[in-house]
């Protein structure tokens, strides 16, 4: 995250901190025009405690004058914490809205709105849940980013610093396997009856999710499932640019498995069809990227062939079957269903 932090400092936060937390002016003596007198003048003394060091050897962003005009230099731990929090929160919202909106307008099948278990005002509620959760999740996430920036993680810059030459490409599948394993067990644990209703039910409110449901979690739920990503960087070496790329990939993938476009018929990839099965049946397909741990854990259910046909996946026959199964599961897992469905509201208003 130090690369990201340097970029945001250079182009955004240096001027802001110089404006909000300016360096204190110091009084200095200067000769007066008269022979035996001196005059006092206030002069802003730039911070001398911080010196610029590029976050990577591959490029550098020369600091402007504002980098030296704040009482909080770039390496101040409180400034770093605040900046990382704002980046995590605000940049997270930008990634969410951009990815979810692109998926919604170009991929998501709008016929889903007619599904019997699509909620009234669902997209509005999904966005609201995300807007409420992300600033809280950012509070939990910031200490990990701060520790990485201050050198406590195992991030490395030069590709030559990898443990061995093949580690640079292998770190990507290794990262995915590591996080997929732990997310499977964390996700499965969130379905425990003592935890589910408080922390995980807010995400399962969306039985037929849209791309905007991708980040619509309870803050504890969303953060707990992100823990493996952060822990990896403290346990195993990870190249800095790979870390940023994987962070973006994770957010994009989270949107893709909620977009309702069932193209991944692979029995290995845990695509949108598998994840829709999880939203419909609750106790299957907990994996994030693959079906490996679901298969080992006995919780894998392959998506029905009907989902991969554009006509049958939106057929009344399939929807009625899904609705009947879903209602039984909700009653068993949650008790009374407190959702308000769009189809039922339309019937009332006729």
């Amino acid at each position: 995250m130090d690369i990201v932090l340097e970029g945001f400092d250079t182009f955004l936060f240096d001027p802001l901190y110089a404006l909000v937390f300016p360096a204190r002016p110091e009084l200095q003596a200067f000769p007066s025009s008269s022979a035996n007198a001196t005059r006092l003048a206030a002069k802003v003394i730039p911070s001398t405690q911080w010196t610029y060091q590029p976050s990577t050897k591959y490029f550098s962003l020369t600091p402007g004058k504002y980098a030296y005009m704040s009482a909080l230099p770039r390496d101040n731990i409180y400034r770093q914490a605040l900046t990382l929090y704002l980046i995590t929160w605000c940049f997270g919202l930008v990634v969410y809205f951009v990815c979810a909106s692109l998926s919604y307008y170009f991929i998501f099948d709008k016929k889903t709105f007619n599904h019997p278990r699509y909620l009234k005002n669902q997209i509005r509620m999904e966005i609201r849940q995300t807007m409420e959760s992300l600033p809280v999740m950012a509070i939990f996430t910031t200490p990990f980013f701060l520790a990485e920036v201050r050198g406590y993680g195992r991030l490395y810059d030069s590709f030559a610093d990898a443990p061995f030459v093949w580690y640079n490409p292998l770190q990507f599948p290794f990262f995915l396997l590591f996080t997929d394993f732990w997310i499977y067990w964390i996700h499965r644990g969130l379905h425990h009856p003592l935890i589910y209703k408080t922390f995980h039910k807010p995400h399962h409110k969306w039985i037929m999710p849209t791309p905007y449901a991708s980040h619509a979690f309870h803050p504890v739920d969303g953060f707990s499932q992100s823990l493996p990503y952060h822990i990896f960087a403290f346990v195993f070496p990870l190249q800095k640019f790979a870390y940023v790329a994987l962070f973006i990939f994770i957010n994009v993938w989270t949107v893709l498995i909620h977009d309702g476009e069932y193209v991944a018929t692979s029995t290995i990839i845990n695509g949108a069809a598998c994840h829709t099965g999880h939203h419909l049946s609750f106790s299957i397909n907990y994996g994030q990227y693959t079906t490996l741990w679901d298969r080992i854990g006995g919780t894998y259910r392959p998506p029905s062939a009907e989902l991969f046909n554009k006509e049958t996946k939106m057929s009344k026959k399939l929807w009625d079957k899904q609705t009947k199964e879903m209602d039984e599961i909700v009653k068993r897992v949650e008790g009374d269903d407190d959702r308000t469905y769009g189809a039922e509201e339309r019937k009332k208003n006729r």
Side-chain angles (χ1 to χ4, degrees), residues 99-112:
C99 294
S101 296
L102 288 173
S103 177
Y104 174 78
Y105 286 107
F106 296 106
I107 299 176
F108 179 69
D109 194 331
K110 311 304 186 294
K111 292 179 183 178
T112 304

Side-chain angles (χ1 to χ4, degrees), residues 1-2 141 143-149 151-156 167 171 174-176 178-179 182 226-244 246-247 250:
M1 283 297 288
D2 56 350
T141 305
F144 288 92
F145 286 153
L146 183 62
E148 292 162 9
V149 165
Y152 293 100
R154 299 195 64 187
L155 299 177
Y156 63 93
Y167 187 83
Q171 65 185 319
F174 184 33
F175 177 90
L176 295 178
F178 176 89
T179 54
W182 286 109
S226 73
L227 271 173
Y229 308 136
H230 305 300
I231 292 173
F232 184 94
F234 289 90
V235 178
F236 301 103
L238 188 61
Q239 205 276 332
K240 290 181 178 181
F241 290 101
Y243 181 73
V244 175
L246 286 165
F247 180 79
I250 290 161

Side-chain angles (χ1 to χ4, degrees), residues 37-38 72 86 97 104 133 183 188 200 211 242 261 282 305:
T38 59
L72 296 178
L86 293 173
F97 277 113
Y104 174 78
S133 295
I183 291 173
R188 188 168 178 174
H200 198 48
E261 186 64 19
F282 285 25

Side-chain angles (χ1 to χ4, degrees), residues 262 265 273 302-310 312-313 318 321:
Y262 311 133
T265 58
S304 65
E306 297 164 302
L307 293 178
F308 299 100
N309 184 299
K310 284 190 174 293
T312 58
K313 83 169 186 176
L318 179 61
K321 177 184 176 183

Side-chain angles (χ1 to χ4, degrees), residues 87-98 127 130-131 134-135:
I87 292 172
T88 306
W89 174 17
C90 299
F91 185 62
L93 279 177
V94 170
V95 172
Y96 164 71
F97 277 113
V98 169
I127 293 175
T130 304
M131 296 283 285
L134 279 182

